[in-house]
Amino acid sequence: MKRSTVWILLAAATVAAAGGSGWALLGDGGEASASSANPRRPPATTEITREDLVKSKTLDGRLDYAGRRPLKAAVQGTVTKAADKGATVRMGQRLYEIDARPVVLLYGSTPMFRGLKVGTLGPDVLQLERNLRDLGFGAGIVIDNKYDNATKAAVKSWQRSLGNSAPDGKVGQGDVVFQPRQVRVVSADAAVADQVGPEKTALTIASSTPVVRVGLDDTDRELAKKGTKAEIELPDGKRITGRVSGTVRPEDAGSGGDSGEESTDGLQVEIGLDKKEAVSGGRSGPLSVTFVQESAEDVLTVPVEAVVALREGGYGLEVVRGRTTRTVRVETGMTAEGRIEVSGDGLAEGLTVGTAKP
């Protein structure tokens, strides 16, 4: 379900106002006072108010996590322990098991693209050694890009800590997954006994940073502009704020994250939250997301029906004082929720003006 505000077009409003009553049009372009003998009275009156105007659109969204991506097994095998959906996995911890061997998360930016053993050189070796050190297995090794006998001994000690009964000091390509930081298991795509490999997703991971995702139609693409403000209403009624941080492809967004809902097939935006702790640690149902496209704070406003089109061009307001009226030229600003921003000499909050509708 999508809900949206109705945009009020000033041109349509002023044409309606001008066409619906003769009092709206003037010929002299400045001010005019009604004759007390033949007063021109507007159909109705209203007051100028001072308020904040916000042009917005509200859509349904859902809680998700940034950087969602599928993770495929590097080697063919059988899942002997599935990933734990919703778990946060840190350096040195198991993601899942394949052929009774744990697939362990280590930190690094270079992916695990090969097996590592004595004699191997490269940045992946440097990453491995840094992880061994940080996990407490770095005694005696030099942190460089060379896999030597000291590295092999450290790997053996690490393998024993993982429960490996026959540590060999080698790191197979399918034994380790390198990621820049801790990850959250969004879904366990492969169950126990499933066959996995380079062509099949074993699990879906994401960062531990909560975000909100919203599916957009083609008509809503202007909302995808990076930095667009948003207000999110949580299922418990709490309101938090955020900004559009970017767009994501539907295939990257998965099938609904923690909400369990199907994702939208069109463009999706990701909203970064100003207070991430407000949604951390729990599941969330559908969210109400209000995109703030434009705003004007502490401005004078009137209903759009109060603005009249002047014959010589521009816009005015019919100021009512007792039984007399006079039309003053005004500058108009943004419109929202059926009201329009106005400014001009002599305008003030509480001033009575004519309007085309009662």
Side-chain angles (χ1 to χ4, degrees), residues 95-313:
L95 288 163
Y96 66 108
E97 289 184 7
I98 182 170
D99 294 342
R101 292 175 64 92
V103 179
V104 179
L105 175 70
L106 296 181
Y107 292 169
S109 58
T110 301
M112 187 68 174
F113 62 94
R114 59 181 175 176
L116 304 178
K117 60 183 179 179
V118 173
T120 306
L121 302 174
D124 45 354
V125 176
L126 177 61
Q127 287 180 166
L128 173 67
E129 291 176 333
R130 286 173 173 168
N131 279 268
L132 290 170
R133 176 198 63 196
D134 294 343
L135 290 169
F137 301 97
I141 67 174
V142 177
I143 309 301
D144 56 14
N145 65 348
K146 183 179 180 180
Y147 201 117
D148 55 18
N149 286 323
T151 306
K152 177 180 179 179
V155 169
K156 280 187 174 182
S157 297
W158 172 56
Q159 288 174 330
R160 291 189 189 98
S161 74
L162 295 173
N164 190 331
S165 59
D168 57 8
K170 300 177 183 179
V171 181
Q173 185 176 356
D175 294 340
V176 167
V177 172
F178 281 116
Q179 292 292 317
R181 59 190 63 83
Q182 68 184 31
V183 299
R184 180 182 176 89
V185 178
V186 178
S187 64
D189 301 288
V192 172
D194 282 354
Q195 296 294 309
V196 294
E199 303 302 320
K200 179 175 174 56
T201 299
L203 70 161
T204 300
I205 61 173
S207 76
S208 57
T209 301
V211 295
V212 170
R213 285 206 169 118
V214 181
L216 303 180
D217 294 331
D218 288 340
T219 56
D220 298 325
R221 285 183 177 270
E222 62 180 1
L223 303 179
K225 183 178 179 181
K226 191 172 183 177
T228 299
K229 295 180 181 179
E231 183 178 86
I232 300 98
E233 182 177 353
L234 303 177
D236 61 2
K238 182 186 300 183
R239 291 181 177 272
I240 56 177
T241 57
R243 291 177 181 270
V244 173
S245 56
T247 59
V248 292
R249 296 174 300 174
E251 58 266 31
D252 292 339
S255 58
D258 284 348
S259 70
E261 297 179 350
E262 293 298 320
S263 63
T264 302
D265 292 333
L267 177 69
Q268 294 199 9
V269 294
E270 187 173 275
I271 299 171
L273 305 178
D274 295 332
K275 293 185 177 180
K276 301 175 180 61
E277 63 275 10
V279 296
S280 61
R283 292 170 58 86
S284 176
L287 310 174
S288 177
V289 182
T290 300
F291 293 86
V292 180
Q293 296 179 284
E294 186 181 0
S295 63
E297 298 182 356
D298 195 32
V299 295
L300 296 176
T301 77
V302 295
V304 291
E305 295 85 3
V307 177
V308 297
L310 303 178
R311 194 184 307 278
E312 70 283 357

Side-chain angles (χ1 to χ4, degrees), residues 24 306-310 313-318 327-332 342:
V307 177
V308 297
L310 303 178
Y315 303 101
L317 289 176
E318 193 85 357
T327 299
V328 297
R329 183 179 294 275
V330 298
E331 296 294 327
T332 57
V342 292

